[in-house]
Amino acid sequence: MAAHDHPLVPASTASSIAPSQSSPSPSPSPSLSGLDTQAAQQLIIADDAELGEALAGIPEHPRAAKLGVTSAVFLILNKMIGTGIFSTPSGVLLASGSVGASILLWVAGGILSLTGLSVFLEFGLGIPKNGGEKNYLERVYQKPKYLITCIFLGQMILLGFSAGNSLAFGRYMLFAAGIDYPSEHASRIVAVICITSVVLLHGLHPAAGTALFNGLGLFKVLVLLLVVFTGIFALMGWIPHVEDPGNFTNMFENSGFGGGTYNYATALLRIVYSYRGWENANYVISELDNPRRTLAVAAPLAIGGVMVLYVLANVAYFAVIPKAEVAHSGVIVAGLFFRRVFGDSAGARLLPFFVALSNLGNVLVVSFAHARVNCEFGKEGILPYSKFFAKVSPLGAPIAGLFLHWIVTVLVLIVPPPGEAYEFIIDLNTYPSAWINALVAGGLIYLQYSKTENWSSPFRSYLPITLAYLFSNFFLMYLPLVSPPGRTDHPGVTIAVFGMGCLFLGAVYWVVWSIIMPALGEYRIVEEFVTDEDGNESVRYTRVSKRIALA
């Protein structure tokens, strides 16, 4: 396992490139004093151009079109609005026991998302670089050196796949095509075609990929607006064939199911997962036009809009469907809604197609964002074959990063057997994400109140808001480990153990990459900060030979 693929360089030459003064990390590069500079210069066999590429070898970015506020909004919307709002309301009502409690829990889930946005806005506006949590964790957890970077790498590479939404796209497209019970094999084939097409589109025609996820984001909003206004019309009595189910009479009265602390917590957990994706623009801040302004406008607009749409969509469901049917509808609550409003045939045709397009939008934006995070890892030299993974196309697309995202997603789609084992792998990312987000929130509190860190950002997340986000992630860590009432098993423990195992593998990689390999190769790793022609700052981990000191 190679650390990265550029040659060892003399320490004295490495020291000639000074770290950027605007680096978010206050720690300087390791001291290179005491080495024989003259001897080092005699051993340089590469010319200046090759040596410069080895040291600061970040490929120049072709000038690609930047994302404005509209594209940034849809980048967030597409990841947030998936299948959750079309299926989760049933489970939430079944757990909460009343219509009123169910709606309030959806409001609470939106508020928790806004607390997370507050934390990520302060970090994102203070460190406007691609990579999201990676940059924020590196800014806070600087010792042991490089450890937190490798842990985050373990999560993003091993768990940052698009298999779940690709497979959902395959299932719903086959269902919309008239196949009532699509086989797992056929669904996976369509899923592979989906992720392959998306990666090719982003790689060969990045502008078209951006236009498509903008269009699908608008489509999702229109579908939810259709649901919302249809529900309003039903409440007003303007749809004659839809009878009032009476769900808003005594709306907080328990319906004979659900209720209790554990069930409320379970319902909130499902809702929080339905809001996931609000941090998506933070991964690609360098791709935004006027990054600080665009993120500051787009993120609150997207998340606030989704929160309003989610709450009103639930009101619409309850305006049309009796609550007993909602509670026992499983994942087809939106199907019941369309059937009651538009009839059996139209409802059966519309819903699976709408959900399939919703899944496609998610695959588009996740592959767009994660490919750029993969590219950042390559530019830094922390991935094996880092120069390859740092490559961008003449149009500015991170083609190698897209390829890495594609290969991991396809492996997850085709290798595991069908059934519970597959669903288990899809859910793995939920648990370690809570740990990463808790570390981000705790790290922000440390930066704000540490006088030695000199932290500054145009936006400030106030302590009560940050604490609310921190404790919400503690809640997400704790609940899967609790045994449900009346049961002795702990179904979430296995997911927690294997999810955290991916973070542990990142720590193992850190031991190999930063300790074992340097000891065997007689070099050490030095971080250098470089700025590209667009003003985007990156760090590069450079191998510096120890043997030069003996010359």
Side-chain angles (χ1 to χ4, degrees):
M1 183 183 299
H4 46 75
D5 52 358
H6 61 69
L8 292 177
V9 295
S12 58
T13 312
S15 64
S16 66
I17 299 183
S20 167
Q21 295 300 315
S22 60
S23 165
S25 174
S27 60
S29 298
S31 174
L32 302 178
S33 61
L35 300 182
D36 188 337
T37 303
Q38 183 176 1
Q41 292 173 343
Q42 292 174 352
L43 292 176
I44 297 175
I45 59 175
D47 62 34
D48 290 343
E50 293 173 336
L51 185 58
E53 181 181 359
L55 287 170
I58 300 174
E60 290 188 1
H61 283 275
R63 292 188 177 274
K66 297 288 187 176
L67 305 180
V69 171
T70 300
S71 293
V73 166
F74 287 129
L75 189 70
I76 299 169
L77 283 175
N78 263 311
K79 190 170 182 182
M80 291 185 71
I81 304 176
T83 58
I85 190 57
F86 300 114
S87 58
T88 304
S90 171
V92 172
L93 176 62
L94 192 60
S96 64
S98 73
V99 172
S102 176
I103 293 174
L104 287 180
L105 285 171
W106 279 95
V107 174
I111 293 173
L112 287 177
S113 297
L114 290 173
T115 64
L117 169 64
S118 178
V119 172
F120 274 64
L121 269 182
E122 177 162 349
F123 265 126
L125 299 182
I127 311 176
K129 295 166 49 180
N130 283 358
E133 298 100 304
K134 171 188 172 298
N135 300 315
Y136 317 151
L137 294 170
E138 288 176 342
R139 177 64 176 83
V140 180
Y141 305 98
Q142 299 178 21
K143 294 180 181 180
K145 210 166 184 62
Y146 318 126
L147 174 60
I148 198 67
T149 303
C150 292
I151 289 176
F152 184 70
L153 180 146
Q155 183 203 21
M156 291 298 293
I157 300 299
L158 298 177
L159 301 176
F161 45 74
S162 297
N165 278 279
S166 295
L167 184 63
F169 173 83
R171 288 171 175 168
Y172 279 106
M173 283 301 291
L174 292 172
F175 188 76
I179 303 174
D180 291 342
Y181 301 99
S183 69
E184 188 73 11
H185 180 69
S187 299
R188 292 194 190 197
I189 290 176
V190 178
V192 171
I193 294 173
C194 171
I195 184 61
T196 302
S197 301
V198 165
V199 166
L200 288 175
L201 180 65
H202 280 318
L204 301 177
H205 303 285
T210 301
L212 182 57
F213 73 61
N214 283 347
L216 288 175
L218 178 61
F219 175 79
K220 292 181 183 186
V221 172
L222 292 176
V223 170
L224 284 178
L225 287 175
L226 172 64
V227 171
V228 168
F229 281 104
T230 301
I232 293 174
F233 294 157
L235 282 174
M236 301 290 291
W238 294 350
I239 306 179
H241 64 276
V242 176
E243 298 181 2
D244 181 7
N247 289 332
F248 297 105
T249 302
N250 298 322
M251 58 188 296
F252 287 95
E253 181 182 4
N254 189 280
S255 303
F257 48 78
T261 303
Y262 181 85
N263 286 324
Y264 281 134
T266 301
L268 186 59
L269 183 67
R270 294 180 179 180
I271 291 170
V272 168
Y273 288 150
S274 295
Y275 277 103
R276 287 180 63 188
W278 47 264
E279 76 288 354
N280 204 37
N282 286 68
Y283 292 132
V284 294
I285 289 182
S286 296
E287 309 296 325
L288 304 181
D289 183 28
N290 191 353
R292 287 189 168 96
R293 176 187 175 276
T294 299
L295 183 66
V297 173
L301 185 62
I303 298 166
V306 168
M307 178 181 172
V308 172
L309 287 173
Y310 277 10
V311 173
L312 292 180
N314 276 272
V315 172
Y317 292 148
F318 291 122
V320 172
I321 312 170
K323 59 185 176 183
E325 291 187 33
V326 173
H328 297 94
S329 63
V331 298
I332 61 169
V333 61
L336 291 179
F337 178 86
F338 280 100
R339 187 176 300 168
R340 280 181 166 270
V341 174
F342 301 109
D344 288 343
S345 59
R349 287 197 305 269
L350 286 173
L351 177 66
F353 181 66
F354 287 170
V355 176
L357 290 181
S358 180
N359 292 129
L360 178 60
N362 183 281
V363 175
L364 278 162
V365 297
V366 170
S367 57
F368 178 90
H370 282 233
R372 281 155 176 79
V373 176
N374 294 340
C375 185
E376 288 299 310
F377 282 127
K379 289 192 297 182
E380 292 181 356
I382 198 170
L383 279 177
Y385 308 106
S386 58
K387 281 188 178 180
F388 170 76
F389 288 112
K391 288 182 178 179
V392 293
S393 72
L395 295 175
I399 49 176
L402 284 165
F403 173 74
L404 180 57
H405 182 75
W406 177 84
I407 195 67
V408 174
T409 299
V410 169
L411 287 175
V412 173
L413 283 170
I414 65 177
V415 172
E420 292 184 2
Y422 180 78
E423 302 299 331
F424 168 79
I425 291 175
I426 295 298
D427 291 336
L428 275 181
N429 194 36
T430 58
Y431 196 78
S433 291
W435 280 85
I436 294 294
N437 290 333
L439 288 172
V440 170
L444 181 59
I445 294 173
Y446 165 74
L447 289 180
Q448 289 178 335
Y449 290 92
S450 174
K451 296 180 180 180
T452 60
E453 289 292 340
N454 298 318
W455 168 250
S456 65
S457 174
F459 179 86
R460 183 174 179 85
S461 178
Y462 292 102
L463 182 61
I465 297 175
T466 306
L467 285 174
Y469 182 59
L470 176 64
F471 286 115
S472 70
N473 281 286
F474 286 158
F475 161 73
L476 296 178
M477 297 177 204
Y478 169 74
L479 188 62
L481 307 181
V482 178
S483 177
R487 295 175 58 178
T488 58
D489 61 330
H490 295 67
V493 171
T494 305
I495 287 180
V497 170
F498 278 86
M500 294 302 294
C502 293
L503 301 185
F504 176 74
L505 288 177
V508 172
Y509 180 76
W510 169 75
V511 172
V512 174
W513 177 75
S514 70
I515 298 177
I516 296 178
M517 295 298 292
L520 295 176
E522 297 186 0
Y523 63 86
R524 58 180 169 176
I525 298 171
V526 177
E527 58 183 8
E528 303 291 348
F529 294 95
V530 295
T531 303
D532 66 17
E533 60 183 5
D534 292 325
N536 300 318
E537 187 182 75
S538 298
V539 65
R540 177 73 173 177
Y541 299 118
T542 304
R543 294 187 297 175
V544 176
S545 173
K546 294 180 181 178
R547 290 172 293 182
I548 198 65
L550 303 176

